[in-house]
Amino acid sequence: VGLLDTNAAYRGNLLLAIRSYGTNGKAAVPVLERLLCDSNQASRIYASVVLREVDPSSAEKAGLGTSQLLAKFNNLSKESKLEAMTILWMSERRNTAFLPTLSACLADTNAEVRLRATFLFGNYGGEAKQALPALTRLLEDSLLEVREAATNSINDIDPDFLAKLQK
């Protein structure tokens, strides 16, 4: 089966193809479940996203339901938080139930978590206005990449916000 190929990029392309089948891709569930433990982070993320779309009940059994991911989010390791954020964003880009958890990530002690959360907020556009105060604080972050991502996300959420701040 190609999904178990050693080439992670190849597996990723196959996962995207299976994703396009939606619930008609259920035959791939056993392999998707195996990929949840893959050593490659991208493979785990894509397998999680595809499993959530192909067979939501299997995703729930694997602990990948939205409510499950949000409930355990604060107790996750840095790597697992990054994975969970990506899984939720990729499979539910407009689910605003994720925004409070994402907001908490803006104050995380880990710069990678702050950076990913900051980037993801910009994708919500005007739906994420409640994050503007926290994103504004990140304009003073010690990491340049976080400051740049905060600027970009603020502009994506409210293009006039930074100009209003400067007045």
Side-chain angles (χ1 to χ4, degrees):
V1 174
L3 286 174
L4 298 177
D5 191 272
T6 57
N7 183 319
Y10 178 68
R11 286 194 313 262
N13 287 331
L14 287 174
L15 286 165
L16 291 175
I18 292 168
R19 184 181 188 190
S20 69
Y21 285 101
T23 56
N24 292 325
K26 285 188 178 183
V29 167
V31 179
L32 292 171
E33 289 172 334
R34 283 182 62 189
L35 286 173
L36 296 177
C37 298
D38 195 85
S39 62
N40 181 277
Q41 182 185 38
S43 292
R44 290 191 307 271
I45 290 169
Y46 281 116
S48 300
V49 171
V50 174
L51 185 61
R52 286 169 54 100
E53 293 178 17
V54 167
D55 189 2
S57 65
S58 291
E60 287 281 333
K61 288 178 195 168
L64 294 169
T66 300
S67 60
Q68 293 167 306
L69 286 173
L70 293 176
K72 64 184 178 184
F73 192 85
N74 290 329
N75 297 321
L76 296 175
S77 68
K78 175 198 79 156
E79 284 301 316
S80 295
K81 275 185 184 180
L82 293 171
E83 284 187 32
M85 278 193 282
T86 305
I87 291 164
L88 287 167
W89 179 76
M90 286 180 75
S91 57
E92 300 190 38
R93 291 183 187 203
R94 289 296 181 196
N95 185 345
T96 56
F98 179 39
L99 292 178
T101 302
L102 202 54
S103 290
C105 291
L106 295 175
D108 199 277
T109 57
N110 185 280
E112 282 184 79
V113 172
R114 289 194 312 276
L115 180 61
R116 178 82 49 92
T118 303
F119 166 76
L120 292 177
F121 260 112
N123 293 293
Y124 282 90
E127 295 176 85
K129 284 193 183 231
Q130 78 271 16
L132 287 172
L135 288 167
T136 302
R137 286 190 292 279
L138 289 178
L139 295 173
E140 304 295 324
D141 195 90
S142 60
L143 191 65
L144 174 63
E145 291 89 347
V146 173
R147 294 193 306 268
E148 289 173 345
T151 301
N152 292 335
S153 288
I154 289 169
N155 284 328
D156 290 341
I157 294 167
D158 182 351
D160 300 322
F161 186 80
L162 288 175
K164 292 179 216 169
L165 267 181
Q166 294 172 350
K167 287 183 182 182

